[in-house]
Amino acid sequence: MPGQYRALQGFKDILPGEQPYWRFVENTVTAVADLYAYHRIDTPTLEETAVYRRTSGEGSDVVEKEMYSFDDRADKEGSRANLTMRPEGTAGVVRAYLEHGLYRLPQPVKLYYLSVPMFRREKPQAGRYREHHQFGCEALGVDDPAIDAEMIGLLYQVYTQLGLEDILLHLNSIGDRNCRPQYIEILKEYYRPLLNDCCQDCKTRFIKNPLRLLDCKEPQDQAKIAAAPKIAAYLCEPCREHFAAVQRLLAAYNVPWTLNPLLVRGLDYYTRTVFEFTSGIDKTALGGGGRYDGLAELLGGQPTPGIGFGAGVERIILELKRQNFAPPVEERPTAFVVYLGKAFELKDAAVQITAQLRRAGIKTDMSYGERSPKAQMKQANASGAAYAVIIGEAELAEDSITIKDLQAEGLDTEKKQVQVKRSALVSYLSCL
Ligand code: AMP
């Protein structure tokens, strides 16, 4: 019987069979982040809604339609906080940076987070969930274009070290508060006469977040997007210089990239460099980010430049599978303890031996639920263990143990089995 309840739509169980992929991704991210001298940070799943609302902006899809927000129960004073389940990683990390005075440390402060659940009430479909997981990096405190290049180089190294092929970086600059407003006016001028013929979402974007007009996926609006004025021509001198330096420095990281003048990213807080990695023929978005030099101020801090990215773990795993990549298999047990008989002394001895081997750092399992010796041996074989460690009446009487080699093919039983003293078991198995 499958039981009465199912996981919510857009939410997924990650069963043991999937875990080798997750472990592989997590180990690789940790190793690469460490290589680039980033330090791990974990922030809470719940934040005050304002943390996201103030930073991501009212015009973003995430804030407008997708956040899981709710009023908390009233506390003793009777006030209720409105809380939101983390939809993205950056705002919480910047909140923590300000709250804990990390700006007093030598800058940049380079941080990463790993397999963090993100909640967005999107329409579930292949590769799009309501709970997904991201790893990400944030470097706060400097606006040096070399750190933009480092950030992009780091993410690319994660993908290549995972063995992914066919990865492409899309790169753009969306200017800053000096030059972007002027560009947005020009973009609006261009769109104003076309609005009647635009999709409903674009009509809203025109008012709330005009830059996102360039992000529209509706076929009817593609020709308008293609002919729209591009921001590159309107960048101010400092933004232009910064972007040129990013491109120059990026060469050191050997990242295949293309200029994508339509890349604007979904969240309002980005400035200057924005980027996204895609893979495969369908150009799946694997991860992306950008510079957010105004974000700390939106959270009440001093002006603090920063850059970061968020990258989807589920998307990477789908891509690994699409590219027929098999993750490293989980280590098999060394020993599987089998007891031959119903006497409780035998079962007790099996439990003691199992515990002793585990204490000694030897990966060990045994069967539970009163199985026959034959069923236990079957389970020992199925577990992939290297050795069955067998205890029967004779062994118990002699204070010994029988070790059977489960992997040796073609040997007769005599050669597959040895009997050792119980006191010598750990050292015997450790030497094999
Ligand atoms: P974003 O913050 O929207 O740029 O997302 C960063 C990355 O997270 C994307 O490039 C995707 O790889 C992944 N991602 C975003 N939304 C989802 C989702 N709903 N389901 C699965 N992965 C997602």
Side-chain angles (χ1 to χ4, degrees):
M1 289 281 278
Q4 196 177 345
Y5 299 102
R6 321 199 82 207
L8 297 169
Q9 211 200 0
F11 290 73
K12 257 174 65 130
D13 299 308
I14 306 166
L15 297 174
E18 284 284 293
Q19 296 291 346
Y21 286 97
W22 285 77
R23 198 184 294 195
F24 177 54
V25 173
E26 287 164 5
N27 289 345
T28 306
V29 171
T30 307
V32 176
D34 186 53
L35 208 57
Y36 283 67
Y38 282 63
H39 303 280
R40 180 153 175 172
I41 186 167
D42 291 294
T43 63
T45 306
L46 284 180
E47 297 274 359
E48 271 183 67
T49 297
V51 171
Y52 299 112
R53 197 168 278 283
R54 300 212 52 187
T55 54
S56 293
E58 301 285 340
S60 73
D61 281 355
V62 168
V63 167
E64 289 280 302
K65 309 184 206 152
E66 297 170 0
M67 290 203 311
Y68 282 94
S69 301
F70 60 94
D71 281 330
D72 200 2
R73 290 182 201 180
D75 61 19
K76 279 200 190 108
E77 288 76 45
S79 63
R80 280 165 189 270
N82 192 266
L83 307 179
T84 292
M85 294 175 74
R86 174 180 35 222
E88 60 92 25
T90 303
V93 171
V94 176
R95 196 257 321 124
Y97 171 90
L98 295 172
E99 180 175 339
H100 302 288
L102 302 188
Y103 43 79
R104 290 192 212 100
L105 301 174
Q107 308 289 301
V109 172
K110 306 202 298 184
L111 305 166
Y112 77 98
Y113 52 85
L114 186 55
S115 286
V116 161
M118 305 290 176
F119 302 88
R120 298 179 186 181
R121 207 171 186 294
E122 298 187 85
K123 190 161 176 265
Q125 48 188 285
R128 190 168 290 284
Y129 311 106
R130 289 182 165 177
E131 180 186 23
H132 74 278
H133 298 76
Q134 290 184 15
F135 64 88
C137 288
E138 315 289 348
L140 288 139
V142 299
D143 65 1
D144 186 341
I147 201 109
D148 301 39
E150 170 178 289
M151 187 65 72
I152 294 168
L154 186 165
L155 183 52
Y156 183 63
Q157 186 158 345
V158 169
Y159 293 138
T160 50
Q161 212 151 304
L162 285 167
L164 288 179
E165 289 167 3
D166 206 8
I167 301 287
L168 183 63
L169 169 72
H170 301 251
L171 188 65
N172 195 17
S173 171
I174 55 169
D176 63 7
R177 66 177 89 173
N178 297 320
C179 52
R180 193 159 53 180
Q182 187 200 349
Y183 168 69
I184 285 176
E185 281 315 310
I186 289 164
L187 188 65
K188 283 175 88 171
E189 281 316 303
Y190 165 80
Y191 262 95
R192 209 180 302 276
L194 308 174
L195 265 189
N196 268 345
D197 188 35
C198 281
C199 74
Q200 197 49 47
D201 276 351
C202 278
K203 288 176 182 149
T204 313
R205 287 179 187 129
F206 181 85
I207 298 161
K208 292 198 161 173
N209 191 349
L211 211 52
R212 298 259 351 256
L213 287 162
L214 301 175
D215 231 4
C216 176
K217 300 287 176 289
E218 291 296 321
Q220 74 188 77
D221 292 333
Q222 296 313 304
K224 300 182 199 77
I225 293 173
K230 305 294 182 293
I231 194 163
Y234 300 92
L235 294 180
C236 60
E237 204 43 42
C239 284
R240 199 188 305 274
E241 273 173 24
H242 191 273
F243 193 36
V246 172
Q247 295 174 46
R248 203 180 61 244
L249 294 163
L250 195 54
Y253 290 93
N254 290 337
V255 183
W257 66 278
T258 177
L259 204 59
N260 182 346
L262 298 177
L263 183 68
V264 291
R265 309 273 310 144
L267 302 174
D268 273 2
Y269 55 60
Y270 287 112
T271 51
R272 294 190 165 174
T273 313
V274 288
F275 61 94
E276 186 161 86
F277 278 95
T278 60
S279 171
I281 22 172
D282 58 353
K283 299 282 164 260
T284 309
L286 283 181
R291 182 160 277 293
Y292 46 78
D293 293 346
L295 181 62
E297 277 168 277
L298 294 173
L299 292 172
Q302 293 294 315
T304 312
I307 179 162
F309 68 78
V313 179
E314 285 86 350
R315 295 271 172 94
I316 289 181
I317 292 174
L318 285 170
E319 194 55 26
L320 285 169
K321 289 180 180 171
R322 199 185 64 80
Q323 296 191 12
N324 293 322
F325 176 87
V329 285
E330 219 170 273
E331 197 194 329
R332 308 275 192 206
T334 302
F336 197 101
V337 180
V338 171
Y339 56 100
L340 308 178
K342 291 206 166 96
F344 76 87
E345 290 89 348
L346 288 169
K347 171 86 172 269
D348 284 9
V351 170
Q352 283 158 15
I353 292 164
T354 302
Q356 183 194 7
L357 291 176
R358 288 171 176 168
R359 269 196 303 279
I362 296 169
K363 183 166 176 171
T364 304
D365 205 359
M366 65 175 281
S367 54
Y368 295 97
E370 311 311 336
R371 308 225 164 140
S372 69
K374 198 170 158 204
Q376 290 182 54
M377 281 308 293
K378 215 169 146 187
Q379 211 182 338
N381 279 306
S383 77
Y387 300 96
V389 170
I390 303 166
I391 179 135
E393 297 286 354
E395 285 86 354
L396 201 59
E398 292 166 19
D399 205 21
S400 69
I401 209 85
T402 297
I403 299 173
K404 181 175 181 186
D405 188 335
L406 296 176
Q407 306 299 332
E409 299 271 329
L411 294 180
D412 50 36
T413 311
E414 299 267 292
K415 296 209 176 109
K416 277 189 201 169
Q417 286 192 189
V418 289
Q419 203 160 347
V420 299
K421 279 279 165 209
R422 241 173 102 168
S423 56
L425 177 63
V426 166
S427 55
Y428 185 89
L429 284 179
S430 303
C431 295
L432 289 172

Short mmCIF file of all heavy atoms in Angstrom, two decimals, residues 10 12 21 31 37 52-53 63 85 87 97 105 112 139 163 245 247 252 254 265 276 321-322 349 364 369 399 425 429:
data_model
loop_
_atom_site.label_atom_id
_atom_site.label_comp_id
_atom_site.label_asym_id
_atom_site.label_seq_id
_atom_site.Cartn_x
_atom_site.Cartn_y
_atom_site.Cartn_z
N GLY A 10 5.59 19.70 -6.92
CA GLY A 10 6.76 20.57 -7.04
C GLY A 10 7.80 20.34 -5.94
O GLY A 10 8.84 20.98 -5.94
N LYS A 12 10.12 17.30 -3.85
CA LYS A 12 10.63 15.98 -4.22
C LYS A 12 11.38 15.32 -3.08
O LYS A 12 12.12 15.98 -2.35
CB LYS A 12 11.62 16.13 -5.39
CG LYS A 12 11.04 15.72 -6.73
CD LYS A 12 11.99 16.03 -7.83
CE LYS A 12 13.24 15.20 -7.71
NZ LYS A 12 13.65 14.51 -8.90
N TYR A 21 24.74 11.08 -6.60
CA TYR A 21 24.87 12.29 -7.43
C TYR A 21 25.03 13.51 -6.53
O TYR A 21 25.85 14.41 -6.78
CB TYR A 21 23.62 12.50 -8.29
CG TYR A 21 23.51 11.54 -9.45
CD1 TYR A 21 22.74 10.40 -9.36
CD2 TYR A 21 24.18 11.79 -10.64
CE1 TYR A 21 22.63 9.52 -10.43
CE2 TYR A 21 24.08 10.93 -11.71
CZ TYR A 21 23.30 9.79 -11.59
OH TYR A 21 23.22 8.94 -12.65
N ALA A 31 35.29 21.25 -2.72
CA ALA A 31 36.71 21.23 -3.10
C ALA A 31 37.07 22.48 -3.91
O ALA A 31 38.11 23.12 -3.66
CB ALA A 31 37.02 19.97 -3.90
N ALA A 37 39.61 29.68 -2.03
CA ALA A 37 39.65 30.35 -0.71
C ALA A 37 38.33 31.02 -0.34
O ALA A 37 38.31 32.16 0.13
CB ALA A 37 40.81 31.34 -0.64
N TYR A 52 13.69 40.09 1.55
CA TYR A 52 13.58 39.76 0.13
C TYR A 52 12.83 40.85 -0.65
O TYR A 52 13.17 41.16 -1.78
CB TYR A 52 12.88 38.41 -0.05
CG TYR A 52 13.66 37.30 0.60
CD1 TYR A 52 13.18 36.64 1.71
CD2 TYR A 52 14.93 36.97 0.14
CE1 TYR A 52 13.91 35.65 2.33
CE2 TYR A 52 15.68 35.99 0.75
CZ TYR A 52 15.16 35.33 1.84
OH TYR A 52 15.91 34.37 2.45
N ARG A 53 11.81 41.38 -0.01
CA ARG A 53 10.98 42.36 -0.71
C ARG A 53 11.80 43.62 -1.04
O ARG A 53 11.73 44.14 -2.14
CB ARG A 53 9.76 42.72 0.15
CG ARG A 53 8.64 43.38 -0.61
CD ARG A 53 7.38 43.44 0.22
NE ARG A 53 6.63 42.20 0.19
CZ ARG A 53 5.87 41.81 -0.82
NH1 ARG A 53 5.77 42.56 -1.89
NH2 ARG A 53 5.21 40.69 -0.78
N VAL A 63 9.28 37.97 -6.09
CA VAL A 63 8.57 38.68 -5.03
C VAL A 63 7.07 38.78 -5.34
O VAL A 63 6.22 38.59 -4.47
CB VAL A 63 9.18 40.09 -4.82
CG1 VAL A 63 8.27 40.95 -3.96
CG2 VAL A 63 10.54 39.96 -4.17
N MET A 85 9.95 32.01 3.29
CA MET A 85 10.90 30.91 3.12
C MET A 85 11.86 31.27 1.99
O MET A 85 11.42 31.68 0.92
CB MET A 85 10.15 29.62 2.80
CG MET A 85 9.30 29.19 3.99
SD MET A 85 8.28 27.78 3.63
CE MET A 85 9.50 26.48 3.63
N PRO A 87 13.74 32.29 -0.98
CA PRO A 87 13.59 32.02 -2.40
C PRO A 87 14.92 32.10 -3.16
O PRO A 87 15.04 31.63 -4.29
CB PRO A 87 12.66 33.14 -2.88
CG PRO A 87 12.93 34.28 -1.95
CD PRO A 87 13.43 33.70 -0.65
N TYR A 97 26.12 39.33 6.67
CA TYR A 97 27.38 40.10 6.55
C TYR A 97 27.26 41.41 7.32
O TYR A 97 28.16 41.80 8.06
CB TYR A 97 27.63 40.34 5.07
CG TYR A 97 28.75 41.29 4.71
CD1 TYR A 97 30.06 40.84 4.53
CD2 TYR A 97 28.49 42.65 4.52
CE1 TYR A 97 31.07 41.72 4.17
CE2 TYR A 97 29.50 43.54 4.15
CZ TYR A 97 30.79 43.06 3.98
OH TYR A 97 31.78 43.93 3.62
N LEU A 105 36.21 42.73 8.61
CA LEU A 105 37.29 41.79 8.23
C LEU A 105 38.00 42.33 6.99
O LEU A 105 37.47 43.21 6.30
CB LEU A 105 36.68 40.42 7.90
CG LEU A 105 35.88 39.74 9.01
CD1 LEU A 105 35.24 38.46 8.48
CD2 LEU A 105 36.80 39.43 10.19
N TYR A 112 30.65 30.87 0.63
CA TYR A 112 29.84 29.99 -0.21
C TYR A 112 28.83 29.23 0.63
O TYR A 112 28.99 29.09 1.84
CB TYR A 112 30.72 29.01 -1.01
CG TYR A 112 31.27 27.83 -0.24
CD1 TYR A 112 30.64 26.58 -0.31
CD2 TYR A 112 32.39 27.95 0.55
CE1 TYR A 112 31.13 25.49 0.39
CE2 TYR A 112 32.90 26.86 1.27
CZ TYR A 112 32.26 25.64 1.18
OH TYR A 112 32.74 24.56 1.88
N ALA A 139 31.01 37.32 -2.92
CA ALA A 139 32.25 38.02 -2.53
C ALA A 139 31.88 39.47 -2.28
O ALA A 139 31.43 40.16 -3.18
CB ALA A 139 33.30 37.91 -3.64
N GLY A 163 32.62 17.12 -14.79
CA GLY A 163 32.65 16.39 -16.05
C GLY A 163 31.61 16.86 -17.05
O GLY A 163 31.41 16.23 -18.09
N ALA A 245 37.30 45.28 -18.46
CA ALA A 245 38.30 44.60 -17.61
C ALA A 245 37.83 43.19 -17.26
O ALA A 245 38.63 42.25 -17.25
CB ALA A 245 38.54 45.42 -16.35
N GLN A 247 36.02 41.24 -19.04
CA GLN A 247 36.20 40.40 -20.22
C GLN A 247 37.68 40.04 -20.40
O GLN A 247 38.02 38.91 -20.74
CB GLN A 247 35.68 41.12 -21.46
CG GLN A 247 34.18 41.33 -21.39
CD GLN A 247 33.66 42.18 -22.54
OE1 GLN A 247 34.00 41.97 -23.69
NE2 GLN A 247 32.84 43.16 -22.22
N ALA A 252 41.87 34.52 -18.33
CA ALA A 252 42.75 33.68 -17.51
C ALA A 252 42.08 32.38 -17.09
O ALA A 252 42.76 31.41 -16.76
CB ALA A 252 43.17 34.46 -16.26
N ASN A 254 39.89 30.57 -18.94
CA ASN A 254 39.55 29.69 -20.08
C ASN A 254 38.07 29.34 -20.15
O ASN A 254 37.71 28.19 -20.42
CB ASN A 254 40.34 28.37 -20.00
CG ASN A 254 41.81 28.59 -20.26
OD1 ASN A 254 42.19 29.57 -20.90
ND2 ASN A 254 42.63 27.70 -19.75
N ARG A 265 18.70 39.13 -16.12
CA ARG A 265 18.48 38.45 -14.83
C ARG A 265 17.18 38.92 -14.17
O ARG A 265 16.71 40.02 -14.37
CB ARG A 265 19.65 38.65 -13.85
CG ARG A 265 20.98 38.32 -14.41
CD ARG A 265 21.37 36.88 -14.28
NE ARG A 265 21.19 36.37 -12.93
CZ ARG A 265 20.79 35.14 -12.66
NH1 ARG A 265 20.52 34.30 -13.63
NH2 ARG A 265 20.67 34.75 -11.43
N GLU A 276 25.21 34.09 -16.86
CA GLU A 276 24.43 32.86 -16.71
C GLU A 276 25.15 31.76 -17.48
O GLU A 276 25.67 32.00 -18.57
CB GLU A 276 23.03 33.07 -17.28
CG GLU A 276 22.12 31.90 -17.06
CD GLU A 276 20.65 32.31 -17.20
OE1 GLU A 276 20.16 32.30 -18.35
OE2 GLU A 276 20.03 32.65 -16.19
N LYS A 321 22.96 13.30 -15.85
CA LYS A 321 22.26 12.11 -16.35
C LYS A 321 22.09 12.17 -17.86
O LYS A 321 22.26 11.18 -18.55
CB LYS A 321 20.90 11.98 -15.67
CG LYS A 321 21.00 11.58 -14.21
CD LYS A 321 19.64 11.45 -13.59
CE LYS A 321 19.77 11.05 -12.13
NZ LYS A 321 18.50 11.10 -11.41
N ARG A 322 21.76 13.37 -18.35
CA ARG A 322 21.59 13.53 -19.80
C ARG A 322 22.90 13.22 -20.51
O ARG A 322 22.91 12.66 -21.60
CB ARG A 322 21.13 14.96 -20.12
CG ARG A 322 20.49 15.12 -21.48
CD ARG A 322 20.17 16.58 -21.78
NE ARG A 322 21.35 17.41 -21.88
CZ ARG A 322 22.13 17.48 -22.94
NH1 ARG A 322 21.84 16.79 -24.02
NH2 ARG A 322 23.20 18.26 -22.93
N ALA A 349 26.26 -12.12 20.17
CA ALA A 349 27.66 -12.07 19.71
C ALA A 349 27.74 -11.32 18.38
O ALA A 349 28.66 -10.51 18.16
CB ALA A 349 28.21 -13.48 19.55
N THR A 364 30.57 -1.95 8.36
CA THR A 364 30.00 -3.26 8.68
C THR A 364 28.48 -3.18 8.72
O THR A 364 27.91 -2.18 9.12
CB THR A 364 30.49 -3.73 10.07
OG1 THR A 364 31.91 -3.72 10.07
CG2 THR A 364 29.99 -5.11 10.42
N GLY A 369 15.81 -8.80 12.13
CA GLY A 369 14.49 -9.38 11.93
C GLY A 369 14.50 -10.89 11.87
O GLY A 369 13.71 -11.48 11.15
N ASP A 399 35.63 -19.37 20.82
CA ASP A 399 35.98 -17.95 20.84
C ASP A 399 36.68 -17.52 19.55
O ASP A 399 37.66 -16.78 19.55
CB ASP A 399 36.87 -17.65 22.05
CG ASP A 399 36.75 -16.19 22.47
OD1 ASP A 399 35.74 -15.57 22.11
OD2 ASP A 399 37.68 -15.69 23.11
N LEU A 425 40.22 -10.51 15.15
CA LEU A 425 39.35 -10.19 14.01
C LEU A 425 39.63 -8.80 13.42
O LEU A 425 39.80 -8.65 12.20
CB LEU A 425 37.88 -10.28 14.46
CG LEU A 425 36.84 -9.90 13.41
CD1 LEU A 425 36.89 -10.84 12.22
CD2 LEU A 425 35.44 -9.89 14.02
N LEU A 429 40.97 -8.12 9.61
CA LEU A 429 40.20 -7.40 8.57
C LEU A 429 40.89 -6.09 8.17
O LEU A 429 40.80 -5.68 7.01
CB LEU A 429 38.78 -7.09 9.05
CG LEU A 429 37.79 -8.26 9.05
CD1 LEU A 429 36.44 -7.84 9.56
CD2 LEU A 429 37.66 -8.90 7.67
#
